[in-house]
């Protein structure tokens, strides 16, 4: 069983609708997925799904990023589960720092969230998270990462680029959410 993570930014009005109403989250996720799979070019896509890369689809970066779906391999490139204090851990997983959205579950359990103030703090932490730490993480586990990605990535540089691009996307999602005063939801899928 693989464990993936999904980070979604929502406006305060949507967050209010979510409280105690799980159907709202299901409808929101359905809308994201239908837009990303639609052949209708007029339908705006606001999401990126790392799994599309493995399906052979080109990952287009939307003008506004509202949902980032990060598969288990990409998560392993970004997060060291032995260090729950890192900015990337807080931004993607959030165990121990995010609040629980009571009564709402999706995927593998309860939905966690960050308030707009929390989002601003995490966005600032991500801004100051050095890329060198990501590269050091790759170097420490390079053999494992190579084995896990041999079907998708030609070499270490391609894996590193994947790691950097998803770290940048996570930063971008939080920066945009902070600018707009949005909440961020964390789902385990």
């Amino acid at each position: 069983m693989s464990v993936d993570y999904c980070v979604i930014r929502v406006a305060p009005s949507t967050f209010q609708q979510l409280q105690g109403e799980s159907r709202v989250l299901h409808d929101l996720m359905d809308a994201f997925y239908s837009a990303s799979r639609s052949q209708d070019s007029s339908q705006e896509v606001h999401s990126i799904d790392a799994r599309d890369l493995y399906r052979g689809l080109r990952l287009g970066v939307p003008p506004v990023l509202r949902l980032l779906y990060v598969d288990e391999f990409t998560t392993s490139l970004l997060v060291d589960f032995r260090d729950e204090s890192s900015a990337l851990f807080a931004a993607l997983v959030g165990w121990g720092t995010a609040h629980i959205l009571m009564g709402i579950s999706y995927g593998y359990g309860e939905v966690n969230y960050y308030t707009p103030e929390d989002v601003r703090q995490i966005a600032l932490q991500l801004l100051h998270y050095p890329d060198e730490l990501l590269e050091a993480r790759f170097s420490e586990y390079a053999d494992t990462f190579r084995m896990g990605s041999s079907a998708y990535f030609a070499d270490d540089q391609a894996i590193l680029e994947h790691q950097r691009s998803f770290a940048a996307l996570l930063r971008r999602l939080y920066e945009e959410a902070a600018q707009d005063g949005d909440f961020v939801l964390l789902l385990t899928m």
Side-chain angles (χ1 to χ4, degrees):
M1 173 180 87
S2 73
V3 177
D4 301 340
Y5 294 89
C6 186
V7 182
I8 307 167
R9 59 180 273 232
V10 297
S13 59
T14 303
F15 184 78
Q16 291 302 322
Q17 292 172 353
L18 278 169
Q19 296 196 30
E21 189 60 48
S22 62
R23 187 75 240 152
V24 173
L25 181 57
H26 289 270
D27 292 345
L28 184 64
M29 292 300 287
D30 288 348
F32 279 125
Y33 283 117
S34 103
S36 69
R37 303 291 180 248
S38 175
Q39 300 298 317
D40 180 1
S41 60
S42 68
Q43 194 170 16
E44 272 194 64
V45 175
H46 297 283
S47 62
I48 294 179
D49 186 333
R51 298 169 303 175
D52 286 345
L53 180 72
Y54 312 123
R55 295 177 184 126
L57 302 173
R58 189 170 146 338
L59 295 179
V61 179
V64 175
L65 183 57
R66 296 209 162 272
L67 179 142
L68 186 61
Y69 191 106
V70 183
D71 68 294
E72 185 175 36
F73 174 73
T74 306
T75 298
S76 72
L77 287 170
L78 299 174
V79 174
D80 183 346
F81 283 88
R82 297 170 302 168
D83 180 12
E84 295 181 10
S85 67
S86 82
L88 288 167
F89 184 92
L92 188 57
V93 180
W95 300 340
T97 55
H99 314 280
I100 297 172
L101 188 54
M102 300 306 283
I104 305 296
S105 60
Y106 193 94
Y108 288 130
E110 297 173 319
V111 174
N112 293 304
Y113 72 93
Y114 288 119
T115 66
E117 180 56 36
D118 298 331
V119 169
R120 283 189 286 281
Q121 291 174 8
I122 291 171
L124 194 58
Q125 291 171 8
L126 288 170
L127 183 66
H128 296 295
Y129 189 88
D131 286 336
E132 295 79 25
L133 287 177
L134 281 173
E135 291 175 22
R137 173 155 178 66
F138 174 80
S139 295
E140 184 177 351
Y141 299 103
D143 289 338
T144 302
F145 292 142
R146 284 182 200 118
M147 284 188 333
S149 67
S150 62
Y152 306 107
F153 297 103
D155 56 31
D156 288 359
Q157 281 310 112
I159 300 169
L160 281 166
E161 183 54 37
H162 182 71
Q163 180 189 49
R164 284 186 211 112
S165 68
F166 273 86
L169 289 167
L170 194 57
R171 282 186 190 109
R172 178 181 163 199
L173 186 139
Y174 273 88
E175 286 172 14
E176 290 177 0
Q179 290 170 359
D180 292 347
D182 288 342
F183 286 77
V184 168
L185 307 178
L186 303 174
L187 287 69
T188 305
M189 309 292 278

